[in-house]
């Protein structure tokens, strides 16, 4: 508005407010309407300040109304009584708190240009009553805990309240997870709803679990399950780990590693998930990981590492990992890397052993006699006296004619594969073979005599075939690296005692050797 010229067009803005509980506000329409009062008036171009824009914000009892203009440095004047605003009206400085029906008119004034059109905001406060559910949700029922894959599966019957928000699961008073109803979101763990209306949640800690149902207004009910059965101890080690070198069966990966997965010790043991196999070469401290071997595989082949040299030694470690991610300490077995495999017969085996210039695997073929075994024992001792660093893996699996065997006090014998047809390991058969670490026994074997593996200190495991019926006392005397011996079911004589037919159900552990006649004299 300015003396001597026509008034500016009038701008209108209408704001309608509604609430859910007390008041809620929102802008329904806002528009500017141009009104022409004299159609024959000729207007002169003029610059007007930008009109005032109203921005409402909900507050508890109404609306907080902010006024703004796009004209920089312009001042805003407003009225609340329906009169036309001028530069003498209320000057706007902070947002206006409107708690009742009000009509606001406002203009923007800036020096050097015309005042803005008048903006009008009509604020209507509308109250609406709603029904409030003041009842707590129904209780969590049928809460139970059951073993599942090494953890615990909590299950409960889903509440049927319409305004249920979700569930809070806590352990020993600390919130473990918040689960929104209907599986919309799960922050920790997993919530599943089955057709019977049951919910489930996987947990992995022992303790008192509270399952709390929460409705939309924050009311809660709860139930509790006590979980004591999660086994948090590391898993058991692999059983009967063994390493053999067989360059003929697979020239690209001649080192064969075998083992048995551990048996569960009780109902609550976490199942083995996989086995980690690592190795180091010679004296190098660098650990090479071969990967994660799924439970049940129980065999792995390895090529000879390039840095092993002609007669390198591998130290292979197997660690078990359970479903909870717990890792065992691991067991380590020793493997020898041979540069060659030599085939020999009874007539030339002695000369080939005594003339060795490097470690090798000796494969003996054909018919041999007890005297040949005695000559092999003597030739190994001669080789050792000439060069202690040369070691031998002796494979007799292709021979025939042997019913007993004895190759004792040979520190350069690191592996032995015995032939089918052999029935007896003589007294002290491999006694004092301190470095013997790989033994393969035939299925024809029936008797293991005294001190058969006495002081075989590198022997970490041995698989005794089910055909064995007799194991004499001190058969494994001072075999200090053995972790486990499984007694076959057919063994009827153990040490100086006779045992019943189901003795094989009970493994004899190295850790209990002071109780076992296998390690000491019969008691």
């Amino acid at each position: 508005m300015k003396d001597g010229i026509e008034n500016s067009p009038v701008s209108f803005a209408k704001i309608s407010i509604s609430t859910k509980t007390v008041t809620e506000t929102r802008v329904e329409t806002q528009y500017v309407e141009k009104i022409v009062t004299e159609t024959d008036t000729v207007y002169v171009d003029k610059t007007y300040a930008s009109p005032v824009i109203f921005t409402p914000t909900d507050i508890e009892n109404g609306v907080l109304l902010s006024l703004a203009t796009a004209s920089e440095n312009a001042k805003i004047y407003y009225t609340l009584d329906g009169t036309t605003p001028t530069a003498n009206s209320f000057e706007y400085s902070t947002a206006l708190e409107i708690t009742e029906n009000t009509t606001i008119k406002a203009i923007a004034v800036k020096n050097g240009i015309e005042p803005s059109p008048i903006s009008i905001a009509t604020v209507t406060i509308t109250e609406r009553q709603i029904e409030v559910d003041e009842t707590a949700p129904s209780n969590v029922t049928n809460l139970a805990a059951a073993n599942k894959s090494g953890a615990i599966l909590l299950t409960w019957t889903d509440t049927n309240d319409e305004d249920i928000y979700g569930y809070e699961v806590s352990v020993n008073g600390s919130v473990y997870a918040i689960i929104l109803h209907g599986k919309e979101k799960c922050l920790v763990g997993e919530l599943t709803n089955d057709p019977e209306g049951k919910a489930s949640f996987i947990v992995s800690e022992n303790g008192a679990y509270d399952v709390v149902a929460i409705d939309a207004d924050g009311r809660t009910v709860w139930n509790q399950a006590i979980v004591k059965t999660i086994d948090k101890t590391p898993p058991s080690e692999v059983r009967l780990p063994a390493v053999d070198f067989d360059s003929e069966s697979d020239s690209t990966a001649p080192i064969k590693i075998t083992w048995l997965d551990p048996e569960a010790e009780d109902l609550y043991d976490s199942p083995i998930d996989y086995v980690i196999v690592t190795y180091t070469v010679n004296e190098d401290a660098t650990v090479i990981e071969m990967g994660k071997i799924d439970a049940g595989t129980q065999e792995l082949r390895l090529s000879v590492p390039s840095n092993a040299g002609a007669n390198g030694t591998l130290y292979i470690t197997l660690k078990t990992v359970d479903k909870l991610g717990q890792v065992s300490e691991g067991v380590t077995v020793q493997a020898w890397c041979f540069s060659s495999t030599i085939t020999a017969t009874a007539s030339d085996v002695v000369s080939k052993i005594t003339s060795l210039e490097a470690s090798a695997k000796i494969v003996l073929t054909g018919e041999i006699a007890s005297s040949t075994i005695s000559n092999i024992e003597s030739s190994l001792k001669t080789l050792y006296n000439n060069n202690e660093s040369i070691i031998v893996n002796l494979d007799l699996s292709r021979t025939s004619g042997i019913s007993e065997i004895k190759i004792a006090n040979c520190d350069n014998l690191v592996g032995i594969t015995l032939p089918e047809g052999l029935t007896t390991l003589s007294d002290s058969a491999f006694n004092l073979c301190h470095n013997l670490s790989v033994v393969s026994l035939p299925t024809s074997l029936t008797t293991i005599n005294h001190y058969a593996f006495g002081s075989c200190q590198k022997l970490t495991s041995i698989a005794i075939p089910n055909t064995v019926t007799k194991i004499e006392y001190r058969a494994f005397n001072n075999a200090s690296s053995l972790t486990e011996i499984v007694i076959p079911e057919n063994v009827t004589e153990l040490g100086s005692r006779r045992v019943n037919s189901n003795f094989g159900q009970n493994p004899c552990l190295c850790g209990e050797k002071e109780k076992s006649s296998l390690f000491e004299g019969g008691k």
Side-chain angles (χ1 to χ4, degrees), residues 345-365:
T345 62
S347 61
D348 62 3
V349 64
V350 170
S351 62
K352 287 187 175 182
I353 290 176
T354 54
S355 62
L356 284 175
E357 296 182 355
S359 300
K361 181 173 184 178
I362 305 294
V363 178
L364 190 60
T365 63

Side-chain angles (χ1 to χ4, degrees), residues 6-72:
E6 299 297 323
N7 292 335
S8 70
V10 178
S11 298
F12 295 92
K14 184 177 181 182
I15 302 174
S16 178
I17 309 301
S18 64
T19 68
K20 289 183 178 179
T21 53
V22 181
T23 59
E24 176 189 350
T25 62
R26 59 190 176 89
V27 176
E28 288 187 343
T29 59
Q30 182 168 316
Y31 60 91
V32 175
E33 177 184 342
K34 181 177 181 181
I35 302 176
V36 179
T37 58
E38 296 184 12
T39 58
D40 56 350
T41 301
V42 178
Y43 289 98
V44 179
D45 289 340
K46 296 180 181 180
T47 301
Y48 292 88
S50 294
V52 174
I53 301 299
F54 301 98
T55 303
T57 302
D58 290 346
I59 59 176
E60 182 177 0
N61 297 320
V63 64
L64 199 64
L65 197 64
S66 298
L67 284 60
T69 175
S71 295
E72 189 176 358

